[in-house]
Amino acid sequence: KFLKNINLSIAIAKKMKNIGYEANGYFYKGEAYYTIEKIDSCIYYMNKSLKLNKETGDISRESDCYMYISDCYDIKKDYKQALEYHKLYKTYYDSLFKQESVEQLENLKIGFETEKKEEENKKSPIKAEVKNNLLLCGIFTSIIIAQIRSCGAYFCTYKGLY
Protein backbone atom coordinates (compact mmCIF):
# COMPACT_ATOMS: atom_id res chain seq x y z
CA LYS A 1 0.00 0.00 0.00
CA PHE A 2 2.91 2.35 0.77
CA LEU A 3 4.36 1.88 -2.72
CA LYS A 4 0.89 2.46 -4.20
CA ASN A 5 0.68 5.81 -2.39
CA ILE A 6 4.18 6.75 -3.53
CA ASN A 7 3.27 5.92 -7.13
CA LEU A 8 0.19 8.11 -6.78
CA SER A 9 2.26 11.01 -5.40
CA ILE A 10 4.76 10.63 -8.27
CA ALA A 11 1.91 10.71 -10.80
CA ILE A 12 0.47 13.86 -9.20
CA ALA A 13 3.92 15.51 -9.13
CA LYS A 14 4.39 14.73 -12.84
CA LYS A 15 0.96 16.13 -13.64
CA MET A 16 1.79 19.30 -11.67
CA LYS A 17 5.20 19.37 -13.39
CA ASN A 18 6.85 19.68 -9.97
CA ILE A 19 10.28 18.13 -10.38
CA GLY A 20 11.15 18.47 -6.68
CA TYR A 21 8.11 16.48 -5.54
CA GLU A 22 8.68 13.92 -8.27
CA ALA A 23 12.31 13.52 -7.18
CA ASN A 24 11.20 13.05 -3.57
CA GLY A 25 8.68 10.43 -4.69
CA TYR A 26 11.38 8.43 -6.44
CA PHE A 27 13.66 8.84 -3.43
CA TYR A 28 11.05 7.47 -1.03
CA LYS A 29 10.24 4.65 -3.45
CA GLY A 30 13.93 3.74 -3.58
CA GLU A 31 14.13 3.95 0.20
CA ALA A 32 11.13 1.60 0.49
CA TYR A 33 12.81 -0.92 -1.83
CA TYR A 34 16.00 -0.65 0.22
CA THR A 35 14.02 -1.45 3.37
CA ILE A 36 12.54 -4.60 1.83
CA GLU A 37 15.96 -5.50 0.40
CA LYS A 38 15.08 -5.13 -3.29
CA ILE A 39 18.48 -3.65 -3.98
CA ASP A 40 18.32 -3.34 -7.78
CA SER A 41 14.99 -1.48 -7.54
CA CYS A 42 16.47 0.80 -4.90
CA ILE A 43 19.40 1.66 -7.17
CA TYR A 44 17.03 2.28 -10.09
CA TYR A 45 14.78 4.71 -8.19
CA MET A 46 17.65 6.43 -6.40
CA ASN A 47 19.21 7.13 -9.79
CA LYS A 48 15.89 8.55 -11.06
CA SER A 49 15.69 10.75 -7.98
CA LEU A 50 19.34 11.74 -8.36
CA LYS A 51 18.81 12.87 -11.95
CA LEU A 52 15.86 15.09 -10.99
CA ASN A 53 17.60 16.44 -7.88
CA LYS A 54 20.50 17.56 -10.05
CA GLU A 55 17.98 19.59 -12.07
CA THR A 56 16.53 21.21 -8.94
CA GLY A 57 19.91 21.68 -7.26
CA ASP A 58 18.92 19.82 -4.09
CA ILE A 59 22.43 18.92 -2.92
CA SER A 60 21.20 17.43 0.33
CA ARG A 61 18.97 14.93 -1.44
CA GLU A 62 21.70 14.18 -4.01
CA SER A 63 23.99 13.30 -1.13
CA ASP A 64 21.35 10.98 0.34
CA CYS A 65 20.86 9.26 -3.02
CA TYR A 66 24.59 8.65 -3.39
CA MET A 67 24.69 7.18 0.13
CA TYR A 68 21.89 4.70 -0.62
CA ILE A 69 23.37 3.72 -3.96
CA SER A 70 26.76 3.19 -2.31
CA ASP A 71 25.18 0.99 0.37
CA CYS A 72 23.32 -1.01 -2.29
CA TYR A 73 26.49 -1.74 -4.24
CA ASP A 74 28.17 -2.70 -0.98
CA ILE A 75 25.35 -5.19 -0.29
CA LYS A 76 25.77 -6.56 -3.83
CA LYS A 77 29.51 -6.89 -3.07
CA ASP A 78 30.36 -4.59 -5.98
CA TYR A 79 32.93 -2.74 -3.94
CA LYS A 80 34.33 -0.72 -6.82
CA GLN A 81 30.92 0.88 -7.51
CA ALA A 82 30.26 1.19 -3.78
CA LEU A 83 33.50 3.13 -3.37
CA GLU A 84 32.74 5.41 -6.34
CA TYR A 85 29.31 6.31 -5.01
CA HIS A 86 30.64 6.67 -1.49
CA LYS A 87 33.20 9.20 -2.76
CA LEU A 88 30.40 11.16 -4.44
CA TYR A 89 28.33 10.97 -1.27
CA LYS A 90 31.27 12.21 0.80
CA THR A 91 31.96 15.08 -1.61
CA TYR A 92 28.37 16.29 -1.48
CA TYR A 93 28.13 15.73 2.27
CA ASP A 94 31.32 17.74 2.89
CA SER A 95 30.02 20.50 0.64
CA LEU A 96 26.79 20.63 2.64
CA PHE A 97 28.71 20.59 5.89
CA LYS A 98 30.87 23.52 4.75
CA GLN A 99 27.79 25.46 3.65
CA GLU A 100 26.08 24.86 6.98
CA SER A 101 29.27 25.79 8.84
CA VAL A 102 29.53 29.09 6.95
CA GLU A 103 25.89 29.86 7.78
CA GLN A 104 26.47 29.02 11.45
CA LEU A 105 29.56 31.25 11.53
CA GLU A 106 27.58 34.11 9.99
CA ASN A 107 24.85 33.67 12.60
CA LEU A 108 27.45 33.65 15.38
CA LYS A 109 29.03 36.81 13.96
CA ILE A 110 25.66 38.58 13.85
CA GLY A 111 24.93 37.45 17.41
CA PHE A 112 28.32 38.67 18.59
CA GLU A 113 27.91 42.06 16.93
CA THR A 114 24.43 42.43 18.43
CA GLU A 115 25.72 41.62 21.91
CA LYS A 116 28.60 44.05 21.39
CA LYS A 117 26.18 46.86 20.48
CA GLU A 118 24.02 46.05 23.50
CA GLU A 119 27.07 46.17 25.76
CA GLU A 120 28.07 49.52 24.27
CA ASN A 121 24.58 50.85 24.99
CA LYS A 122 24.78 49.59 28.57
CA LYS A 123 28.21 51.16 29.06
CA SER A 124 27.04 54.44 27.64
CA PRO A 125 24.07 55.55 29.74
CA ILE A 126 24.65 59.07 28.42
CA LYS A 127 23.39 57.99 25.00
CA ALA A 128 20.27 56.52 26.56
CA GLU A 129 19.80 59.66 28.65
CA VAL A 130 20.17 61.86 25.56
CA LYS A 131 17.58 59.74 23.74
CA ASN A 132 15.20 60.07 26.67
CA ASN A 133 15.77 63.83 26.84
CA LEU A 134 15.10 64.21 23.12
CA LEU A 135 11.91 62.22 23.49
CA LEU A 136 10.77 64.38 26.40
CA CYS A 137 11.60 67.55 24.45
CA GLY A 138 9.55 66.30 21.53
CA ILE A 139 6.58 65.54 23.74
CA PHE A 140 6.88 68.90 25.54
CA THR A 141 7.11 70.77 22.21
CA SER A 142 4.01 68.97 20.92
CA ILE A 143 2.08 69.94 24.05
CA ILE A 144 3.14 73.62 23.73
CA ILE A 145 2.15 73.73 20.05
CA ALA A 146 -1.23 72.17 20.90
CA GLN A 147 -1.74 74.79 23.63
CA ILE A 148 -0.81 77.67 21.31
CA ARG A 149 -3.24 76.43 18.68
CA SER A 150 -5.94 76.00 21.28
CA CYS A 151 -5.37 79.52 22.64
CA GLY A 152 -5.22 80.97 19.15
CA ALA A 153 -8.52 79.34 18.21
CA TYR A 154 -10.08 80.62 21.43
CA PHE A 155 -8.75 84.13 20.83
CA CYS A 156 -9.99 84.18 17.24
CA THR A 157 -13.42 82.95 18.35
CA TYR A 158 -13.53 85.53 21.16
CA LYS A 159 -12.66 88.39 18.79
CA GLY A 160 -15.16 87.11 16.24
CA LEU A 161 -12.51 86.25 13.65
CA TYR A 162 -13.81 82.71 13.17
Side-chain angles (χ1 to χ4, degrees), residues 5-162:
N5 289 337
I6 291 175
N7 287 333
L8 182 60
S9 72
I10 292 170
I12 292 169
K14 283 182 178 180
K15 191 172 185 175
M16 292 173 36
K17 297 182 180 174
N18 188 318
I19 297 171
Y21 287 161
E22 185 180 350
N24 283 338
Y26 288 130
F27 177 81
Y28 292 124
K29 192 169 184 177
E31 197 172 47
Y33 280 121
Y34 181 85
T35 304
I36 60 174
E37 297 179 2
K38 291 193 175 187
I39 303 306
D40 289 327
S41 294
C42 175
I43 292 171
Y44 175 78
Y45 287 107
M46 287 296 167
N47 276 314
K48 286 186 82 142
S49 177
L50 185 61
K51 180 183 176 215
L52 294 174
N53 283 312
K54 285 180 185 260
E55 288 181 37
T56 63
D58 188 346
I59 297 171
S60 177
R61 188 61 85 194
E62 285 181 60
S63 173
D64 294 340
C65 289
Y66 284 129
M67 180 192 68
Y68 272 103
I69 296 169
S70 173
D71 286 351
C72 287
Y73 281 119
D74 187 53
I75 291 168
K76 291 176 68 156
K77 298 190 185 328
D78 185 345
Y79 300 116
K80 184 177 179 183
Q81 286 283 69
L83 179 62
E84 288 302 313
Y85 280 97
H86 182 75
K87 286 179 182 176
L88 289 167
Y89 158 72
K90 188 73 172 129
T91 300
Y92 279 82
Y93 179 81
D94 289 347
S95 173
L96 277 172
F97 183 73
K98 284 181 186 175
Q99 182 179 350
E100 288 173 2
S101 295
V102 167
E103 289 172 4
Q104 287 174 347
L105 285 173
E106 285 297 318
N107 288 337
L108 286 173
K109 182 180 175 185
I110 290 168
F112 174 75
E113 289 174 0
T114 302
E115 285 180 27
K116 188 176 170 184
K117 291 278 185 194
E118 288 173 357
E119 285 297 317
E120 285 177 13
N121 288 340
K122 286 179 185 176
K123 290 179 181 177
S124 179
I126 296 170
K127 285 183 182 178
E129 189 177 328
V130 168
K131 286 180 184 177
N132 287 337
N133 287 341
L134 287 173
L135 181 63
L136 288 174
C137 285
I139 293 170
F140 184 68
T141 304
S142 297
I143 292 170
I144 290 173
I145 291 172
Q147 287 294 333
I148 292 171
R149 285 185 177 167
S150 175
C151 288
Y154 174 75
F155 180 73
C156 288
T157 306
Y158 180 72
K159 291 287 187 179
L161 299 174
Y162 260 162

